[in-house]
Amino acid sequence: MNNSESHPGENQTISPGFILVGFSYLNELQILLFLLLLLIYLLTLMGNLLVILLIKLNPSLHSPMYFFLVNLSFLEMCFTSSVVPQLLVHLLVEEKTISLVGCAAQMYVYSIMGLTECCLLAAMAYDRYVAICHPLHYTTIMSGRVCAELAGASWLISITVEIVPTVWIFSLPFCGSYCIHHFFCDIPPVLKMVCTDTSNIRIVGFIVTGLFVINPFLLILLSYVRIISTILKLPSTEGRRKAFSTCSSHLTVVTFFYGTALITYLVPKSDSTKESDQMISLMNTIVAPLLNPLIYTLRNKEVKGAMRKAVVKSIFAHSRRN
């Protein structure tokens, strides 16, 4: 229950756990949703793992851009795995409960993955900026050490920053029915269960969002302003096309990621329903991690070439064995 809706006489205790209402309203259709989400989850894991293996096994793909793509694919597998396995179980059982510790752990991991993706996408935008705007100094600026530091900082910042709000939220008293009208422990629905004033923690949330979500987005925008300006100055149409093609996959992923995130967290709740909120969250946590490896493989000639070589090599090896 929201703190604004709490009553002075209402029992306020530390909850032993929560009930994730999720998609209970679908009744028998939960089985069909289970099968669909299981298929998407398996395809997501296989797709991102395939991208990682292709890059690792092909020396021609050992460049900064693909180093960050390996990190992004690994992150996508962790991101979706923080939510989907439990959701699949809850679609099959009557008691959709989660312990307090489990809820805190899920919120912490999910939040880490979200912030890390923001930082990684900004690092990838910087990589494309250097490649297009400063091609002669690219190998010097984007050295292996710099790439490792950018990726490591993305993970370290997120892991460190998310400790405070998570611990703070779960140190507060919860009250009411303990029913979370969502399919996982996201910060907004869990805050609604807090009985005390949450204004301070919401301020901290806005600060974290500004520093580690909005700032990376502004850096991405600034990078692409410079990139587009440089591309438009190229003398040949073919040169402009090739330059833009190296950025199109990343730009598509950024648009989808930030688009769904903005809708999820910034659209006024009066304009949305619990069902629509859940569907948007499904897009962000389940569909996006599946689409990202598809976007990078279908729109990238080097990755498609590496995939064709791997398939041909596999067929050739199989025919030799026979």
Side-chain angles (χ1 to χ4, degrees):
M1 182 176 293
N2 198 324
N3 55 297
S4 62
E5 296 171 352
S6 301
H7 301 287
E10 189 172 27
N11 185 31
Q12 300 179 5
T13 61
I14 297 176
S15 166
F18 297 111
I19 299 170
L20 292 169
V21 176
F23 296 96
S24 300
Y25 63 89
L26 293 177
N27 300 318
E28 289 80 9
L29 292 177
Q30 289 182 91
I31 298 297
L32 292 177
L33 183 59
F34 167 83
L35 295 173
L36 176 61
L37 294 183
L38 177 61
L39 176 62
I40 293 175
Y41 180 58
L42 293 176
L43 289 174
T44 299
L45 295 182
M46 289 189 293
N48 283 288
L49 189 58
L50 177 62
V51 169
I52 293 172
L53 290 175
L54 278 174
I55 293 171
K56 289 294 184 183
L57 298 176
N58 285 272
S60 62
L61 300 180
H62 291 177
S63 65
M65 182 172 74
Y66 296 109
F67 169 79
F68 289 121
L69 183 53
V70 166
N71 274 269
L72 183 64
S73 291
F74 174 72
L75 182 145
E76 295 292 17
M77 290 194 293
C78 297
F79 194 32
T80 193
S81 295
S82 69
V83 173
V84 178
Q86 184 188 60
L87 172 58
L88 291 173
V89 172
H90 282 182
L91 288 170
L92 297 177
V93 299
E94 286 294 325
E95 286 194 16
K96 306 178 191 300
T97 56
I98 184 171
S99 67
L100 202 68
V101 173
C103 190
Q106 186 178 59
M107 178 188 292
Y108 180 57
V109 173
Y110 179 82
S111 300
I112 286 174
M113 297 307 150
L115 286 191
T116 304
E117 184 154 357
C118 292
C119 296
L120 270 180
L121 290 174
M124 294 172 81
Y126 176 69
D127 169 69
R128 291 298 83 207
Y129 158 73
V130 176
I132 291 172
C133 300
H134 303 284
L136 298 179
H137 303 286
Y138 179 67
T139 54
T140 304
I141 296 174
M142 297 304 296
S143 63
R145 180 179 177 178
V146 170
C147 292
E149 287 174 350
L150 286 172
S154 298
W155 286 95
L156 183 61
I157 287 170
S158 304
I159 290 169
T160 306
V161 165
E162 283 301 329
I163 291 176
V164 172
T166 304
V167 172
W168 192 353
I169 289 172
F170 283 89
S171 67
L172 300 173
F174 298 98
C175 60
S177 63
Y178 305 126
C179 289
I180 297 177
H181 292 278
H182 210 349
F183 58 86
F184 72 101
C185 289
D186 199 5
I187 292 175
V190 172
L191 275 180
K192 290 181 180 179
M193 311 297 296
V194 176
C195 299
T196 58
D197 180 36
T198 58
S199 56
N200 288 336
I201 200 167
R202 290 179 191 276
I203 291 171
V204 170
F206 284 126
I207 294 172
V208 169
T209 300
L211 289 176
F212 304 108
V213 178
I214 304 301
N215 275 347
F217 181 64
L218 293 176
L219 287 174
I220 292 169
L221 283 180
L222 180 61
S223 296
Y224 273 103
V225 168
R226 297 292 302 275
I227 287 169
I228 292 170
S229 175
T230 302
I231 289 175
L232 292 176
K233 293 176 184 177
L234 294 176
S236 68
T237 304
E238 181 65 17
R240 290 195 292 270
R241 188 191 64 80
K242 285 184 178 179
F244 186 73
S245 68
T246 65
C247 306
S248 58
S249 298
H250 176 258
L251 197 54
T252 304
V253 169
V254 168
T255 301
F256 192 83
F257 175 77
Y258 272 98
T260 53
L262 288 173
I263 294 171
T264 302
Y265 297 106
L266 296 184
V267 168
K269 294 306 171 186
S270 58
D271 297 337
S272 63
T273 63
K274 291 169 184 173
E275 291 78 11
S276 65
D277 288 343
Q278 289 187 128
M279 287 303 170
I280 294 168
S281 293
L282 272 182
M283 293 289 290
N284 195 32
T285 59
I286 297 172
V287 179
L290 171 64
L291 290 180
N292 288 353
L294 289 175
I295 291 168
Y296 274 102
T297 52
L298 295 177
R299 298 177 65 91
N300 190 298
K301 287 184 179 180
E302 291 178 308
V303 176
K304 285 193 289 185
M307 188 177 294
R308 278 196 297 268
K309 287 179 183 177
V311 172
V312 170
K313 188 176 180 180
S314 176
I315 293 172
F316 181 71
H318 181 70
S319 63
R320 284 189 64 183
R321 284 198 300 269
N322 291 337

